[in-house]
Amino acid sequence: MAIDLEIARQRLADRKAEIEALSRLSEESRSTVVLDQQAVGRLSRMDSMQQQAMAEAQERQRQRDLVRIEMAERRIKDGDYGYCAECDEEIPDGRLEIDPMAEKCVHCAS
């Protein structure tokens, strides 16, 4: 089975655009929490800080995914895309459709 690199590039570009859009949308929730004791109660501040921490963790994951996309684009350029980094077997298209950044087959990833 030959891997359609144009489809792979499009999947990666679509995923990158989605990640960047999510990052822009969540920018406000990652901003510094104002601790004005007159404006909100202690529990509200704690909730705000927890939400900020979760938004920051999600942003870190998005940044890791952007790096994985960059690595997948490099594998396309080098002719290694779609082949497992460990066993060199072809990664099924179904796996690449779900995760176009996958660098290992299901067997090696588990």
Side-chain angles (χ1 to χ4, degrees):
M1 170 184 92
I3 296 169
D4 188 331
L5 296 180
E6 284 308 310
I7 290 175
R9 282 186 185 96
Q10 188 59 50
R11 286 177 185 158
L12 291 167
D14 291 347
R15 183 69 182 127
K16 184 176 184 177
E18 178 185 342
I19 290 169
E20 289 171 341
L22 286 170
S23 186
R24 283 189 301 275
L25 286 173
S26 72
E27 201 169 311
E28 184 178 323
S29 61
R30 294 188 320 268
S31 63
T32 304
V33 175
V34 178
L35 298 175
D36 182 0
Q37 293 181 357
Q38 303 301 321
V40 293
R42 183 174 150 261
L43 291 178
S44 295
R45 287 192 310 275
M46 288 173 56
D47 285 343
S48 295
M49 291 171 65
Q50 183 179 23
Q51 289 173 358
Q52 177 195 28
M54 290 186 327
E56 288 172 345
Q58 290 170 336
E59 180 63 18
R60 285 190 297 274
Q61 181 59 50
R62 285 190 287 270
Q63 293 305 313
R64 283 190 292 269
D65 283 348
L66 288 174
V67 169
R68 289 181 64 220
I69 289 170
E70 203 174 288
M71 292 169 58
E73 290 170 337
R74 193 172 309 136
R75 287 193 304 276
I76 288 174
K77 182 180 169 194
D78 295 343
D80 295 330
Y81 184 80
Y83 295 94
C84 180
E86 286 192 25
C87 70
D88 208 33
E89 290 294 317
E90 193 168 315
I91 299 172
D93 191 52
R95 176 161 170 74
L96 293 172
E97 186 175 336
I98 292 168
D99 182 7
M101 299 137 353
E103 59 183 291
K104 295 180 184 178
C105 66
V106 174
H107 181 266
C108 292
S110 57

